[in-house]
């Protein structure tokens, strides 16, 4: 069983993912795997260099700041980059999945729906949190201004869309309650997996 886990910036996806992991669930973090592939997959490195030029890599390592500066102002380049990376991540996940044939796997992706990765999932969990809490988490985590956080939020799908497309929703404002929700959802998923 593959369970998609998503949520907006600052919602606490990582916290929820760690709670599932502590309960013995296998996890696949799409963003982490994408970064690994962009630094290790020769074909992908070649394609990214063709798309962004020689500045895309410095000493063989993806120049994330440069790439971010380009795609932040150019949605066509972002779409092109995603078109290169997402299929590779999907291939990588399918290989990963074969190692855990009888287990529940959490597929965590901030852009689960936007990338089409929701189609890989049997069930979907969306993590939400109060807007003020989300903003403060990002300010604390990334050392950015409130305006920068709001700008990032505007580039993401809103929670209402994700909630409508999800089987489960975790409200992540209080850690104790979040732990209870994760345990309950995992119990339900185990029943569904029988």
């Amino acid at each position: 069983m593959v369970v998609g886990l998503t949520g907006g910036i600052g919602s606490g996806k990582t916290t929820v993912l760690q709670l599932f992991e502590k309960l013995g669930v296998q996890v696949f973090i799409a963003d982490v795997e994408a970064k690994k592939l962009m630094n290790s997959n020769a074909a992908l490195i070649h394609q990214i260099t063709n798309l962004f030029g020689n500045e895309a890599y410095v000493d063989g390592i993806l120049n994330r700041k440069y790439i971010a500066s380009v795609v932040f102002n150019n949605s066509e380049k972002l779409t092109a980059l995603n078109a290169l990376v997402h299929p590779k991540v999907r291939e990588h996940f399918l290989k990963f999945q074969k190692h855990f044939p009888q287990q529940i796997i959490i597929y965590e992706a901030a852009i689960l729906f936007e990338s089409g990765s929701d189609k890989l999932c049997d069930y979907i969990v969306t993590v939400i949190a109060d807007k003020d809490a989300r903003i403060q988490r990002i300010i604390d985590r990334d050392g950015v201004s409130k305006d920068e956080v709001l700008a990032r939020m505007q580039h993401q799908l809103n929670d209402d869309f994700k909630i409508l497309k999800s089987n489960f929703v975790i409200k992540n404002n209080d850690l104790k309650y979040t732990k209870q929700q994760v345990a309950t959802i995992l119990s339900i998923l185990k029943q569904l997996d029988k």
Side-chain angles (χ1 to χ4, degrees):
M1 177 190 290
V2 178
V3 180
L5 179 68
T6 193
I9 187 171
S11 62
K13 288 184 305 298
T14 302
T15 299
V16 170
L17 187 72
Q18 289 167 347
L19 292 171
F20 274 111
E21 202 169 15
K22 282 181 184 170
L23 294 172
V25 179
Q26 291 297 325
V27 300
F28 182 93
I29 306 169
D31 192 41
V32 169
E33 298 304 324
K35 286 172 187 158
K36 285 182 193 171
L37 289 168
M38 287 189 280
N39 282 303
S40 65
N41 183 294
L44 190 54
I45 290 168
H46 179 72
Q47 291 171 319
I48 291 170
T49 303
N50 282 344
L51 182 62
F52 291 95
N54 291 329
E55 291 179 75
Y57 288 85
V58 176
D59 298 326
I61 304 294
L62 185 70
N63 185 348
R64 290 179 58 212
K65 275 191 172 174
Y66 170 72
I67 300 287
S69 72
V70 172
V71 300
F72 191 73
N73 298 308
N74 186 329
S75 60
E76 289 175 11
K77 288 272 191 187
L78 177 60
T79 300
L81 178 63
N82 287 338
L84 296 175
V85 176
H86 293 313
K88 297 285 188 210
V89 173
R90 197 169 291 119
E91 279 174 36
H92 186 59
F93 173 71
L94 294 173
K95 289 176 189 168
F96 173 88
Q97 188 181 11
K98 287 179 183 170
H99 295 289
F100 308 101
Q102 302 301 316
Q103 295 186 33
I104 295 171
I105 299 171
I106 300 282
Y107 183 103
E108 188 271 331
I111 56 170
L112 186 76
F113 297 107
E114 299 92 325
S115 67
S117 299
D118 58 309
K119 293 171 185 65
L120 296 169
C121 305
D122 300 298
Y123 299 97
I124 295 173
V125 178
T126 290
V127 182
I128 62 170
D130 293 338
K131 189 173 184 179
D132 289 342
R134 292 173 60 193
I135 291 167
Q136 194 57 53
R137 287 173 188 166
I138 300 306
I139 290 170
D140 294 345
R141 185 188 78 191
D142 296 352
V144 293
S145 71
K146 183 176 179 178
D147 288 341
E148 288 173 294
V149 176
L150 292 171
R152 290 184 194 178
M153 286 179 158
Q154 285 190 324
H155 284 91
Q156 295 188 332
L157 287 174
N158 68 35
D159 285 345
D160 293 340
F161 175 87
K162 293 175 185 173
I163 290 167
L164 284 172
K165 297 276 189 181
S166 298
N167 305 95
F168 304 95
V169 177
I170 293 176
K171 187 145 176 98
N172 183 27
N173 290 323
D174 170 76
L175 186 59
K176 184 178 176 187
Y177 182 52
T178 300
K179 285 180 180 177
Q180 292 171 354
Q181 293 173 85
V182 168
T184 300
I185 290 169
L186 183 56
S187 175
I188 294 167
L189 290 170
K190 286 179 176 176
Q191 292 298 313
L192 292 169
D193 199 33
K194 286 184 177 174

